[in-house]
Amino acid sequence: MNLSRRRFLQISAGTVAGLSAVDLTHRVVSAAGKDAQSGLKRIPTFCNVCFWQCGAIASVRDGKLWKIEGHPRDPLSRGRLCPRGSGGIDAHTDPDRLRTPLIRVSERGEEKWKAVTWDEALNFVAEKMQKIKAEYGPESVAAFIHGLGGKFFKHTLRAYGTENIAAPSFAQCRGPRDVGFTLTYGDDAGSLERTDIENAQCLVLIGTHLGENMHNSQVQEFANAVGKGASIIVADPRFSVAASKARFYLPIKPGTDIALLLAWMNVIVGEKLYDKEYIDKYGFGFEQFVAEIQSCTPEWAYPETGIEPETIRATAREMARYRPATLIHPGRHASWYGDDAQRSRAIALLNALMGSWGRKGGLYVPASMELPEYPHPSYPPAGKATADNPNNRYPFADEVISTGIRDATISGKPYPVKGWLVYSTNLMYSLPNREETIRAIQQLDLLVVVDVLPSEIAGWADVVLPESNYLERYDDLHIEAFREPFITLRQPVVEPPDDQKPNWWIAKKLAEKLGLGAYYPWNDIEQYLDARLKGGGYSFEDLKREGVIVGKRPPIYFEDGAPAVFNTPSKKIEFYSTQLKQAGFDPVPRYTRPEPGPAGFYRLLFGRAPMHSFSRTQTNHLLMDLMSENAVWVNATEAARLGLKSGDYVRLRNQDGAVSDRIRVKATERIRPECVYMVHGFGHTSRELRFAFGKGASDSQLITRYKTDPLMGGTGVNVNFVTIETEA
Ligand SMILES: Nc1nc2c(c(=O)[nH]1)N[C@H]1C(S)=C(S)[C@@H](COP(=O)(O)OP(=O)(O)OC[C@H]3O[C@@H](n4cnc5c(=O)[nH]c(N)nc54)[C@H](O)[C@@H]3O)O[C@H]1N2
Ligand SMILES: Nc1nc2c(c(=O)[nH]1)N[C@H]1C(S)=C(S)[C@@H](COP(=O)(O)OP(=O)(O)OC[C@H]3O[C@@H](n4cnc5c(=O)[nH]c(N)nc54)[C@H](O)[C@@H]3O)O[C@H]1N2
Ligand code: SF4
Ligand SMILES: [Mo]
């Protein structure tokens, strides 16, 4: 890959000229419309190449998808899509898509099925589900569901009687962060994050690799903040794209963030640089907190982090200089080293010292639209507690732990789990330790996978259900808390090419076959959407035409009257956590040195590339044109020592003997010597993914170990180590 840094940060500008029907002053009406001259029909919708769900306008000519651009009035895209969003149109014509329902005819994992009708497939699923219910109870069916499209499947499963519904976005992604922030503020960092990046005068990124991590609004705001001269501080073992924009780059040793955070706080407290008024007003347990971090000096942190005491002091002072407009970004993917909830809590506390929670340039108070749900019968009362967290072993887990469901499936404890429904998550890539996932699957009587592609997890399914893609269907409304409240609509832009069906249709039909039709008291999704919108006083017809409804922005900063409410036991910001103390954990975060790897091994780190989403875009020809395989970053000196140069193919072997596919070396000064780095999502093993198969290697293959967060069950995965083997 030879993209310049500028190019990395670039987001394609919406061709505003091409959207002549749209008035950017928000008065004239229509985002939709047909241009007589060009024959282009414009239809507003929103993107799904990642979970950010940017508002978009798709153009169709003669029934063919032409292009997709940002919706100028959508608060998330602000008229621009990221490269993945623009390239998303290729998914519609992808020749490797799933086309019809399939029932497996051979051994699990052999990828051999017969094509069946929807009726046959759903009858099969419903019969198996009824059998599991009769034998074990409804809780013995579990689900892994990721993203907005999963809403109706959750509904069907709740009606059926199970609450064992997990998503990798908790224990494998942002769960530790949300728990760390909630313990501190009584509320989490949000998804859409409540980060006021645009107004931050000092932005601290601890690993968060904005620019490679391409969540659209955040990257646009980041570019604006850089443009306005904000002071950027980046701590990362790898010189990331964000680091190239930074005033201070701290090449930290992996796994030592808590030491750096404690030392920063030690300096800020020691030099009385914190927001005293804010802490007097909103803080709880500050004295105890101060006593706890007394010994965490920059000199103490230096050998742990590799960051010199003077740099720690200088950056601490830099943060204090701009407070409260100093934002220590909470990050998103936080399941790293097993101490992650406490690491996130330390980030939350550093923000509290800056007085940035609730303040301009910090973490604002978001607002969202309220719409009543479509009325339905109440769900059957929960029978058994969820299977993922027996005896409340992880006391601060506030969502179902995906890996906990997997453990229960393997062990049959606390009770047997015999069916899995998997919607839009490729568990072979998203859960650590594939062997365990396969062991769990072997215990199942039923594995149903709803996907758009013959993904690796679909390869293990008994029944594969092909979904129409995001440009071919309605979904439920997109309503999230953000700077301004909004509602956006996903609507079909083109027809599905084959026998694919939308999630709402599949979930509804399945409910009917399970005798749960009463939970779907509507005939089709348009009726459902119309009723929901009417409930809030909005019109479905207007939304179809406009794509987005934006509400009035309420005050989002404390200084403007946003409510300063902290839903913690003390009703304040908890510098000292009695909840944690009572549960036997550190009430103020403490640092533990990460366990080193075996001699001669490198710690395996991974992240994102701006033109790919996880493991879901490697069949997309447009995006593969931008990046067709991943590379393993190796420190240049180490590479030379090993006789490797950029472009050489190698394989990585981990501490447990797992060997990766072929991957090219990128020898670079831009990474610390004790670690290597790769972009997640490549190295597909499903032969049905003809275009993606055999390109690059997968970090997931090498993640055989994980360290579980004792507070909430998150799986820290940056605890694997590899050696590098040449192809010969
Ligand atoms: N090793 C490793 N593990 C990770 C991560 C990592 O970087 N490395 N990242 C972690 C993080 S942050 C997260 S959030 C999770 C993400 O994990 P996943 O949610 O599993 O993300 P993807 O790998 O994109 O898998 C999405 C699956 O959904 C399918 N899909 C795409 N669009 C649709 C659709 O419209 N309908 C249906 N039904 N299916 C669709 C794709 O074909 C693919 O099979 O993984 C976590 N796990
Ligand atoms: N283009 C694109 N953008 C995406 C996604 C995508 O698939 N594609 N996925 C989205 C999702 S769901 C998520 S959760 C986010 C994930 O993106 P982020 O929230 O930014 O999190 P990570 O991917 O874990 O961060 C990886 C970075 O952390 C660094 N790092 C590793 N170990 C350490 C350490 O010990 N200390 C410090 N300080 N840094 C360390 C790595 O070198 C790398 O630069 O991205 C989102 N944005
Ligand atoms: S950030 Fe990019 S991929 Fe994600 S929804 Fe927005 S445009 Fe689509
Ligand atoms: Mo994530």
Side-chain angles (χ1 to χ4, degrees):
M1 270 308 309
N2 209 356
L3 284 186
S4 73
R5 279 171 201 153
R6 222 190 99 61
R7 181 95 188 275
F8 262 124
L9 266 176
Q10 222 167 46
I11 295 197
S12 66
T15 327
V16 178
L19 300 172
S20 47
V22 181
D23 178 10
L24 297 174
T25 64
H26 300 196
R27 244 169 293 119
V28 187
V29 218
S30 191
K34 185 160 180 174
D35 188 286
Q37 230 173 18
S38 65
L40 276 185
K41 193 171 165 217
R42 286 178 301 273
I43 305 170
T45 185
F46 58 85
C47 182
N48 194 44
V49 187
C50 84
F51 309 110
W52 206 253
Q53 325 252 34
C54 297
I57 297 184
S59 296
V60 179
R61 182 186 276 157
D62 304 328
K64 284 221 170 73
L65 190 54
W66 192 248
K67 62 177 172 181
I68 187 161
E69 299 161 300
H71 190 312
R73 274 177 287 150
D74 172 59
L76 302 183
S77 73
R78 302 177 180 180
R80 294 156 171 219
L81 299 182
C82 84
R84 299 169 295 157
S86 311
I89 49 170
D90 195 60
H92 170 61
T93 47
D94 187 341
D96 287 346
R97 289 180 65 167
L98 293 169
R99 304 193 173 274
T100 64
L102 303 168
I103 293 184
R104 188 167 55 79
V105 293
S106 61
E107 288 291 294
R108 275 210 182 112
E110 274 186 23
E111 302 184 24
K112 285 198 189 123
W113 301 279
K114 64 171 185 230
V116 295
T117 63
W118 277 99
D119 247 349
E120 284 173 283
L122 293 174
N123 282 339
F124 183 95
V125 174
E127 263 168 43
K128 288 264 188 178
M129 282 178 71
Q130 297 298 38
K131 196 154 169 259
I132 293 172
K133 191 183 212 169
E135 216 168 308
Y136 305 98
E139 302 83 359
S140 291
V141 172
F144 299 84
I145 292 179
H146 202 183
L148 177 73
K151 172 155 176 194
F152 296 106
F153 285 104
K154 287 184 193 162
H155 181 57
T156 295
L157 288 166
R158 292 292 309 280
Y160 168 82
T162 182
E163 292 184 353
N164 283 314
I165 302 174
S169 47
F170 180 69
Q172 282 71 48
C173 178
R174 61 189 163 73
R177 175 197 79 175
D178 290 345
V179 168
F181 270 72
T182 302
L183 282 164
T184 310
Y185 294 105
D187 202 354
D188 62 39
S191 168
L192 314 166
E193 282 78 13
R194 49 167 78 197
T195 46
D196 195 9
I197 297 172
E198 190 150 72
N199 293 308
Q201 289 166 34
C202 176
L203 176 66
V204 186
L205 300 172
I206 306 173
T208 307
H209 57 327
L210 292 182
E212 291 157 287
N213 158 354
M214 208 62 181
H215 278 168
N216 190 347
S217 333
Q218 293 205 26
V219 178
Q220 292 191 34
E221 290 195 33
F222 180 43
N224 291 347
V226 170
K228 287 196 269 181
S231 177
I232 313 289
I233 300 171
V234 172
D236 195 312
R238 183 182 66 99
F239 188 81
S240 59
V241 168
S244 71
K245 311 286 168 195
R247 193 171 293 172
F248 294 90
Y249 167 57
L250 283 55
I252 191 169
K253 284 188 196 165
T256 66
D257 287 353
I258 293 183
L260 174 65
L261 286 155
L262 292 174
W264 270 336
M265 295 197 281
N266 175 286
V267 173
I268 288 162
V269 167
E271 298 185 8
K272 298 214 176 341
L273 300 174
Y274 53 86
D275 190 334
K276 183 165 184 309
E277 202 185 318
Y278 181 93
I279 292 168
D280 285 348
K281 196 162 168 193
Y282 301 126
F284 169 85
F286 188 64
E287 301 306 316
Q288 287 143 299
F289 161 79
V290 170
E292 287 278 336
I293 63 163
Q294 207 84 61
S295 58
C296 304
T297 60
E299 283 68 23
W300 162 80
Y302 177 36
E304 301 301 328
T305 59
I307 309 301
E308 277 157 9
E310 270 328 295
T311 308
I312 297 179
R313 289 202 169 83
T315 42
R317 290 174 194 142
E318 181 80 355
M319 288 181 221
R321 203 173 131 201
Y322 296 103
R323 69 168 171 77
T326 294
L327 170 62
I328 299 91
H329 196 294
R332 183 174 178 98
H333 177 238
S335 43
W336 282 359
Y337 296 90
D339 58 0
D340 305 300
Q342 289 283 21
R343 171 182 167 276
S344 289
R345 193 166 131 69
I347 293 176
L349 289 171
L350 181 56
N351 274 298
L353 290 179
M354 297 292 105
S356 64
W357 178 270
R359 307 286 284 283
K360 188 171 181 184
L363 294 131
Y364 63 80
V365 182
S368 107
M369 293 282 199
E370 303 267 335
L371 271 194
E373 291 291 338
Y374 199 110
H376 61 76
S378 49
Y379 296 129
K384 301 170 198 151
T386 57
D388 61 309
N389 191 11
N391 304 319
N392 213 20
R393 180 165 172 210
Y394 302 110
F396 296 98
D398 54 9
E399 287 184 36
V400 177
I401 304 166
S402 48
T403 26
I405 297 285
R406 184 176 72 179
D407 291 345
T409 310
I410 295 172
S411 68
K413 292 188 176 103
Y415 49 83
V417 174
K418 289 294 176 187
W420 283 6
L421 185 144
V422 177
Y423 176 84
S424 194
T425 167
N426 191 354
L427 298 181
M428 293 299 160
Y429 282 76
S430 54
L431 299 185
N433 194 322
R434 277 184 192 174
E435 289 296 311
E436 282 182 52
T437 307
I438 293 168
R439 256 171 44 221
I441 289 172
Q442 304 291 21
Q443 302 300 312
L444 297 175
D445 294 342
L446 176 67
L447 173 57
V448 185
V449 172
V450 188
D451 207 309
V452 288
L453 289 171
S455 60
E456 283 72 12
I457 187 66
W460 288 91
D462 304 321
V463 184
V464 181
L465 303 176
E467 194 181 11
S468 42
N469 91 7
Y470 70 103
L471 293 162
E472 303 157 356
R473 67 177 194 239
Y474 281 109
D475 269 327
D476 203 355
L477 301 165
H478 184 218
I479 304 174
E480 286 288 356
F482 198 55
R483 284 169 199 278
E484 48 261 302
F486 69 85
I487 303 175
T488 48
L489 175 73
R490 173 172 292 142
Q491 62 183 323
V493 174
V494 280
E495 294 282 320
D498 301 285
D499 202 11
Q500 299 93 348
K501 297 282 185 196
N503 57 68
W504 65 266
W505 185 94
I506 308 170
K508 181 175 190 297
K509 276 277 178 284
L510 178 60
E512 285 161 5
K513 290 190 185 288
L514 289 165
L516 302 168
Y519 286 86
Y520 287 87
W522 38 272
N523 294 324
D524 62 41
I525 190 83
E526 296 202 338
Q527 189 190 341
Y528 167 92
L529 293 169
D530 186 47
R532 277 205 77 192
L533 285 161
K534 276 209 183 90
Y538 304 104
S539 143
F540 180 45
E541 285 309 315
D542 286 353
L543 188 57
K544 276 209 286 195
R545 200 176 56 242
E546 298 302 318
V548 46
I549 298 168
V550 181
K552 193 164 168 282
R553 183 189 287 193
I556 60 169
Y557 306 125
F558 292 172
E559 57 266 36
D560 296 340
V565 178
F566 304 100
N567 213 357
T568 55
S570 65
K571 303 289 168 212
K572 299 211 158 185
I573 301 172
E574 301 213 332
F575 282 90
Y576 181 94
S577 170
T578 29
Q579 287 188 81
L580 281 174
K581 175 86 180 154
Q582 277 159 9
F585 298 110
D586 296 330
V588 174
R590 279 196 192 154
Y591 169 72
T592 318
R593 186 174 302 156
E595 280 167 45
F601 281 67
Y602 302 92
R603 190 183 289 272
L604 175 67
L605 305 180
F606 58 84
R608 308 285 179 240
M611 61 299 274
H612 283 284
S613 283
F614 312 106
S615 72
R616 60 163 67 189
T617 45
Q618 293 76 25
T619 60
N620 182 308
H621 294 235
L622 294 173
L623 300 177
M624 288 294 268
D625 268 356
L626 297 174
M627 178 180 180
S628 60
E629 60 185 301
N630 57 352
V632 56
W633 296 39
V634 183
N635 173 273
T637 311
E638 293 296 309
R641 205 167 57 75
L642 297 169
L644 297 169
K645 55 183 192 319
S646 284
D648 288 353
Y649 273 113
V650 294
R651 287 178 197 268
L652 307 177
R653 179 188 293 273
N654 87 351
Q655 71 284 332
D656 298 319
V659 181
S660 77
D661 289 326
R662 268 157 43 106
I663 183 167
R664 284 187 194 274
V665 169
K666 171 176 167 149
T668 171
E669 302 291 343
R670 289 172 54 183
I671 188 162
R672 286 186 59 95
E674 68 270 65
C675 47
V676 295
Y677 173 87
M678 65 203 279
V679 167
H680 170 68
F682 287 85
H684 280 280
T685 55
S686 164
R687 289 187 178 274
E688 314 269 322
L689 297 170
R690 289 168 299 180
F691 190 63
F693 182 81
K695 292 185 180 138
S698 168
D699 55 328
S700 309
Q701 236 173 345
L702 299 166
I703 296 175
T704 49
R705 296 199 186 173
Y706 53 94
K707 195 167 174 198
T708 306
D709 190 303
L711 274 61
M712 48 64 70
T715 54
V717 288
N718 291 4
V719 297
N720 290 273
F721 297 88
V722 296
T723 51
I724 305 171
E725 300 180 352
T726 47
E727 266 281 83

